[in-house]
Amino acid sequence: MSIFRVSVHITPRRGILDPQGKAVESALHSLGFEGVMSVHVGRHLTIDTESENADAAVTSVTAMCERLLANPVTEDFEIESATPA
């Protein structure tokens, strides 16, 4: 068994109201960043997990996202590849 570090990005699904993203977008416009078209605010998680290999670590973190970390109705998640921690 080895320890792998897995990064997860969780964001609101497209079309879902994202008040925090809208607030950031508005603030950027008020600061003069007029080229900003949209902002989506999500969460970034880094999970160190003990697994047989990198694929098993990703499979385990995927299950974590599906069962607890991401709301399947309102959020999407993306897992980056696992790297040795």
Side-chain angles (χ1 to χ4, degrees):
M1 295 285 251
S2 299
I3 297 174
F4 293 90
R5 179 162 291 161
V6 183
S7 294
V8 181
H9 300 281
I10 299 173
T11 56
R13 288 190 169 193
R14 296 275 180 198
I16 296 289
L17 184 62
D18 181 1
Q20 193 174 6
K22 286 293 184 192
V24 172
E25 179 184 331
S26 177
L28 289 171
H29 287 166
S30 70
L31 291 172
F33 296 101
E34 295 299 327
V36 174
M37 302 305 294
S38 67
V39 176
H40 294 275
V41 175
R43 301 185 308 274
H44 175 85
L45 291 83
T46 303
I47 300 171
D48 291 342
T49 183
E50 190 174 57
S51 296
E52 291 288 329
N53 55 51
D55 289 340
V58 169
T59 298
S60 177
V61 172
T62 298
M64 293 176 200
C65 289
E66 291 171 346
R67 295 181 63 190
L68 177 69
L69 301 175
N71 180 337
V73 176
T74 61
E75 297 175 318
D76 290 321
F77 66 89
E78 180 181 340
I79 297 177
E80 295 183 5
S81 60
T83 58

